[in-house]
Short mmCIF file of all heavy atoms in Angstrom, two decimals:
data_model
loop_
_atom_site.label_atom_id
_atom_site.label_comp_id
_atom_site.label_asym_id
_atom_site.label_seq_id
_atom_site.Cartn_x
_atom_site.Cartn_y
_atom_site.Cartn_z
N GLY A 114 159.11 130.08 47.75
CA GLY A 114 158.94 128.66 47.52
C GLY A 114 160.24 127.95 47.19
O GLY A 114 161.29 128.58 47.04
N ALA A 115 160.14 126.63 47.04
CA ALA A 115 161.32 125.81 46.75
C ALA A 115 161.92 126.15 45.39
O ALA A 115 163.12 125.99 45.18
CB ALA A 115 160.94 124.33 46.79
N ASP A 116 161.09 126.65 44.48
CA ASP A 116 161.57 127.01 43.15
C ASP A 116 161.91 128.50 43.02
O ASP A 116 162.17 128.99 41.94
CB ASP A 116 160.52 126.64 42.10
CG ASP A 116 159.21 127.41 42.28
OD1 ASP A 116 159.03 128.07 43.33
OD2 ASP A 116 158.36 127.36 41.37
N GLY A 117 161.88 129.23 44.16
CA GLY A 117 162.16 130.65 44.15
C GLY A 117 160.93 131.52 43.93
O GLY A 117 161.02 132.74 43.98
N GLY A 118 159.79 130.91 43.67
CA GLY A 118 158.56 131.66 43.45
C GLY A 118 158.07 132.32 44.74
O GLY A 118 158.46 131.93 45.85
N LYS A 119 157.22 133.31 44.60
CA LYS A 119 156.75 134.09 45.76
C LYS A 119 155.24 133.97 45.94
O LYS A 119 154.49 133.98 44.98
CB LYS A 119 157.09 135.57 45.57
CG LYS A 119 158.56 135.87 45.42
CD LYS A 119 159.23 135.86 46.75
CE LYS A 119 160.67 136.36 46.60
NZ LYS A 119 161.40 136.26 47.81
N ASN A 120 154.84 133.88 47.21
CA ASN A 120 153.44 133.90 47.61
C ASN A 120 153.29 134.91 48.74
O ASN A 120 154.13 134.95 49.64
CB ASN A 120 152.98 132.53 48.12
CG ASN A 120 152.93 131.49 47.05
OD1 ASN A 120 153.89 131.28 46.33
ND2 ASN A 120 151.81 130.82 46.93
N ARG A 121 152.22 135.69 48.70
CA ARG A 121 151.97 136.68 49.75
C ARG A 121 150.93 136.13 50.71
O ARG A 121 149.77 135.93 50.34
CB ARG A 121 151.48 137.98 49.12
CG ARG A 121 151.28 139.08 50.13
CD ARG A 121 150.87 140.34 49.43
NE ARG A 121 150.60 141.39 50.40
CZ ARG A 121 149.89 142.46 50.12
NH1 ARG A 121 149.39 142.63 48.91
NH2 ARG A 121 149.68 143.37 51.05
N LEU A 122 151.35 135.91 51.95
CA LEU A 122 150.48 135.41 53.01
C LEU A 122 149.94 136.58 53.82
O LEU A 122 150.71 137.40 54.31
CB LEU A 122 151.25 134.46 53.93
CG LEU A 122 150.54 133.99 55.19
CD1 LEU A 122 149.35 133.10 54.84
CD2 LEU A 122 151.50 133.25 56.11
N ILE A 123 148.62 136.65 53.95
CA ILE A 123 147.98 137.68 54.77
C ILE A 123 147.28 136.99 55.93
O ILE A 123 146.47 136.08 55.73
CB ILE A 123 146.92 138.46 53.95
CG1 ILE A 123 147.54 139.12 52.73
CG2 ILE A 123 146.20 139.48 54.83
CD1 ILE A 123 148.49 140.26 53.02
N ILE A 124 147.61 137.42 57.15
CA ILE A 124 146.90 136.96 58.34
C ILE A 124 146.18 138.18 58.89
O ILE A 124 146.82 139.19 59.22
CB ILE A 124 147.86 136.36 59.39
CG1 ILE A 124 148.60 135.17 58.80
CG2 ILE A 124 147.08 135.97 60.64
CD1 ILE A 124 149.68 134.60 59.70
N LYS A 125 144.86 138.10 58.95
CA LYS A 125 144.08 139.24 59.39
C LYS A 125 142.78 138.75 60.01
O LYS A 125 142.13 137.86 59.46
CB LYS A 125 143.78 140.19 58.22
CG LYS A 125 143.12 141.47 58.64
CD LYS A 125 143.02 142.43 57.48
CE LYS A 125 142.40 143.71 58.01
NZ LYS A 125 142.26 144.72 57.00
N ASP A 126 142.41 139.32 61.15
CA ASP A 126 141.16 139.01 61.84
C ASP A 126 141.00 137.51 62.11
O ASP A 126 139.92 136.95 61.97
CB ASP A 126 139.96 139.53 61.04
CG ASP A 126 139.99 141.04 60.85
OD1 ASP A 126 140.51 141.73 61.76
OD2 ASP A 126 139.53 141.52 59.81
N GLY A 127 142.09 136.84 62.44
CA GLY A 127 142.03 135.43 62.81
C GLY A 127 141.95 134.46 61.65
O GLY A 127 141.69 133.28 61.85
N THR A 128 142.17 134.93 60.43
CA THR A 128 142.17 134.05 59.27
C THR A 128 143.45 134.26 58.47
O THR A 128 144.09 135.31 58.56
CB THR A 128 140.96 134.30 58.34
OG1 THR A 128 141.08 135.59 57.77
CG2 THR A 128 139.64 134.16 59.08
N ALA A 129 143.82 133.25 57.70
CA ALA A 129 145.00 133.32 56.85
C ALA A 129 144.59 133.02 55.42
O ALA A 129 143.73 132.18 55.17
CB ALA A 129 146.06 132.33 57.32
N ARG A 130 145.23 133.71 54.47
CA ARG A 130 144.96 133.46 53.06
C ARG A 130 146.19 133.82 52.24
O ARG A 130 147.03 134.61 52.67
CB ARG A 130 143.74 134.24 52.58
CG ARG A 130 143.97 135.72 52.45
CD ARG A 130 142.70 136.46 52.00
NE ARG A 130 142.96 137.85 51.70
CZ ARG A 130 143.12 138.81 52.60
NH1 ARG A 130 143.04 138.53 53.88
NH2 ARG A 130 143.36 140.05 52.24
N ILE A 131 146.29 133.25 51.07
CA ILE A 131 147.31 133.65 50.10
C ILE A 131 146.67 134.72 49.22
O ILE A 131 145.70 134.46 48.51
CB ILE A 131 147.80 132.46 49.25
CG1 ILE A 131 148.44 131.39 50.13
CG2 ILE A 131 148.77 132.94 48.17
CD1 ILE A 131 149.73 131.81 50.82
N GLU A 132 147.18 135.92 49.32
CA GLU A 132 146.62 137.07 48.60
C GLU A 132 147.13 137.14 47.16
O GLU A 132 146.38 137.45 46.25
CB GLU A 132 147.00 138.35 49.35
CG GLU A 132 146.58 139.62 48.69
CD GLU A 132 145.18 140.07 49.08
OE1 GLU A 132 144.57 139.44 49.95
OE2 GLU A 132 144.72 141.05 48.51
N GLU A 133 148.43 136.87 46.98
CA GLU A 133 149.05 136.94 45.65
C GLU A 133 150.02 135.79 45.50
O GLU A 133 150.59 135.32 46.48
CB GLU A 133 149.85 138.24 45.49
CG GLU A 133 149.09 139.52 45.57
CD GLU A 133 150.02 140.72 45.50
OE1 GLU A 133 150.89 140.76 44.59
OE2 GLU A 133 149.89 141.61 46.35
N ALA A 134 150.24 135.39 44.26
CA ALA A 134 151.24 134.36 43.97
C ALA A 134 151.70 134.53 42.53
O ALA A 134 150.92 134.95 41.67
CB ALA A 134 150.67 132.97 44.19
N ASP A 135 152.97 134.19 42.27
CA ASP A 135 153.45 134.29 40.90
C ASP A 135 153.47 132.93 40.20
O ASP A 135 154.08 132.78 39.15
CB ASP A 135 154.82 134.98 40.83
CG ASP A 135 155.89 134.24 41.59
OD1 ASP A 135 155.64 133.13 42.10
OD2 ASP A 135 157.01 134.78 41.69
N CYS A 136 152.74 131.96 40.75
CA CYS A 136 152.61 130.66 40.09
C CYS A 136 151.60 130.80 38.94
O CYS A 136 150.76 131.69 38.95
CB CYS A 136 152.18 129.58 41.08
SG CYS A 136 150.67 129.95 41.99
N PRO A 137 151.66 129.91 37.97
CA PRO A 137 150.81 130.07 36.79
C PRO A 137 149.32 129.85 37.03
O PRO A 137 148.49 130.53 36.44
CB PRO A 137 151.35 129.05 35.79
CG PRO A 137 152.19 128.12 36.57
CD PRO A 137 152.62 128.82 37.81
N ASP A 138 148.95 128.91 37.91
CA ASP A 138 147.53 128.58 38.04
C ASP A 138 146.78 129.36 39.12
O ASP A 138 145.56 129.45 39.08
CB ASP A 138 147.35 127.08 38.28
CG ASP A 138 148.09 126.57 39.50
OD1 ASP A 138 148.56 127.40 40.32
OD2 ASP A 138 148.22 125.35 39.64
N LYS A 139 147.48 129.90 40.09
CA LYS A 139 146.88 130.71 41.17
C LYS A 139 145.81 129.97 41.98
O LYS A 139 144.93 130.58 42.58
CB LYS A 139 146.27 132.01 40.62
CG LYS A 139 147.18 132.83 39.76
CD LYS A 139 147.84 133.92 40.52
CE LYS A 139 148.59 134.88 39.64
NZ LYS A 139 149.84 134.41 39.14
N LEU A 140 145.89 128.63 42.02
CA LEU A 140 144.92 127.86 42.81
C LEU A 140 145.04 128.19 44.29
O LEU A 140 144.04 128.21 45.01
CB LEU A 140 145.12 126.35 42.59
CG LEU A 140 144.76 125.84 41.20
CD1 LEU A 140 145.10 124.36 41.07
CD2 LEU A 140 143.30 126.09 40.89
N CYS A 141 146.24 128.47 44.76
CA CYS A 141 146.43 128.81 46.17
C CYS A 141 145.71 130.11 46.53
O CYS A 141 145.17 130.24 47.64
CB CYS A 141 147.92 128.91 46.51
SG CYS A 141 148.85 129.99 45.40
N VAL A 142 145.65 131.04 45.61
CA VAL A 142 144.95 132.31 45.85
C VAL A 142 143.45 132.06 45.91
O VAL A 142 142.74 132.63 46.74
CB VAL A 142 145.29 133.34 44.75
CG1 VAL A 142 144.48 134.61 44.91
CG2 VAL A 142 146.78 133.65 44.74
N ASN A 143 142.96 131.16 45.07
CA ASN A 143 141.53 130.88 44.99
C ASN A 143 141.02 129.99 46.11
O ASN A 143 139.80 129.79 46.22
CB ASN A 143 141.20 130.26 43.63
CG ASN A 143 141.46 131.21 42.50
OD1 ASN A 143 141.30 132.42 42.64
ND2 ASN A 143 141.88 130.69 41.36
N GLN A 144 141.89 129.43 46.94
CA GLN A 144 141.45 128.55 48.02
C GLN A 144 140.77 129.31 49.15
O GLN A 144 140.10 128.72 49.98
CB GLN A 144 142.62 127.72 48.56
CG GLN A 144 143.05 126.65 47.60
CD GLN A 144 144.20 125.82 48.12
OE1 GLN A 144 144.41 125.69 49.32
NE2 GLN A 144 144.96 125.25 47.21
N GLY A 145 140.94 130.60 49.22
CA GLY A 145 140.25 131.41 50.22
C GLY A 145 140.95 131.41 51.57
O GLY A 145 142.13 131.07 51.68
N SER A 146 140.21 131.78 52.60
CA SER A 146 140.76 131.94 53.95
C SER A 146 140.60 130.66 54.77
O SER A 146 139.64 129.92 54.59
CB SER A 146 140.05 133.08 54.67
OG SER A 146 140.30 134.29 54.02
N ILE A 147 141.55 130.47 55.67
CA ILE A 147 141.50 129.32 56.59
C ILE A 147 141.66 129.84 58.02
O ILE A 147 142.33 130.85 58.25
CB ILE A 147 142.59 128.27 56.27
CG1 ILE A 147 144.00 128.89 56.28
CG2 ILE A 147 142.31 127.60 54.93
CD1 ILE A 147 145.12 127.90 56.09
N SER A 148 141.04 129.15 58.98
CA SER A 148 141.15 129.57 60.38
C SER A 148 140.97 128.43 61.36
O SER A 148 141.23 128.60 62.55
CB SER A 148 140.10 130.65 60.68
OG SER A 148 138.80 130.15 60.49
N ASN A 149 140.52 127.26 60.92
CA ASN A 149 140.28 126.13 61.82
C ASN A 149 141.41 125.12 61.74
O ASN A 149 142.06 124.96 60.70
CB ASN A 149 138.95 125.45 61.47
CG ASN A 149 137.78 126.35 61.75
OD1 ASN A 149 137.66 126.91 62.83
ND2 ASN A 149 136.91 126.52 60.77
N VAL A 150 141.64 124.40 62.83
CA VAL A 150 142.71 123.41 62.92
C VAL A 150 142.60 122.42 61.77
O VAL A 150 141.51 121.96 61.43
CB VAL A 150 142.64 122.69 64.28
CG1 VAL A 150 143.64 121.55 64.33
CG2 VAL A 150 142.90 123.67 65.42
N ASN A 151 143.74 122.13 61.16
CA ASN A 151 143.92 121.18 60.06
C ASN A 151 143.48 121.70 58.70
O ASN A 151 143.60 120.98 57.72
CB ASN A 151 143.24 119.84 60.34
CG ASN A 151 143.90 119.09 61.46
OD1 ASN A 151 145.09 119.26 61.71
ND2 ASN A 151 143.14 118.28 62.15
N GLU A 152 143.00 122.93 58.60
CA GLU A 152 142.74 123.49 57.28
C GLU A 152 144.08 123.91 56.67
O GLU A 152 145.01 124.27 57.39
CB GLU A 152 141.82 124.70 57.37
CG GLU A 152 140.40 124.36 57.75
CD GLU A 152 139.50 125.58 57.82
OE1 GLU A 152 139.99 126.70 58.11
OE2 GLU A 152 138.30 125.42 57.59
N SER A 153 144.18 123.86 55.35
CA SER A 153 145.45 124.21 54.73
C SER A 153 145.25 124.83 53.36
O SER A 153 144.21 124.67 52.73
CB SER A 153 146.36 122.98 54.62
OG SER A 153 145.77 122.01 53.79
N ILE A 154 146.28 125.53 52.93
CA ILE A 154 146.38 126.08 51.59
C ILE A 154 147.68 125.55 51.02
O ILE A 154 148.72 125.59 51.68
CB ILE A 154 146.40 127.63 51.60
CG1 ILE A 154 145.13 128.18 52.23
CG2 ILE A 154 146.60 128.17 50.19
CD1 ILE A 154 145.17 129.69 52.45
N VAL A 155 147.62 125.07 49.79
CA VAL A 155 148.80 124.47 49.17
C VAL A 155 149.08 125.14 47.83
O VAL A 155 148.16 125.34 47.03
CB VAL A 155 148.59 122.95 48.96
CG1 VAL A 155 149.78 122.32 48.26
CG2 VAL A 155 148.31 122.26 50.28
#
């Protein structure tokens, strides 16, 4: 990330998700998997 933090992106079986993150709230991990156009994880 811009602040040097790390996020682990997993792409598997046509979906993408953030598996791990060292941010304090972990909201990106809890957003689940995305696979359709315009879906996003932040």
Side-chain angles (χ1 to χ4, degrees):
D116 63 348
K119 300 281 188 185
N120 292 52
R121 183 177 177 199
L122 172 67
I123 302 291
I124 300 174
K125 187 172 183 180
D126 300 328
T128 66
R130 71 181 188 282
I131 298 294
E132 176 88 5
E133 298 176 48
D135 61 5
C136 55
D138 57 13
K139 308 263 189 284
L140 292 176
C141 52
V142 175
N143 296 327
Q144 288 180 25
S146 296
I147 56 175
S148 62
N149 293 310
V150 173
N151 293 333
E152 290 181 331
S153 62
I154 300 172
V155 177

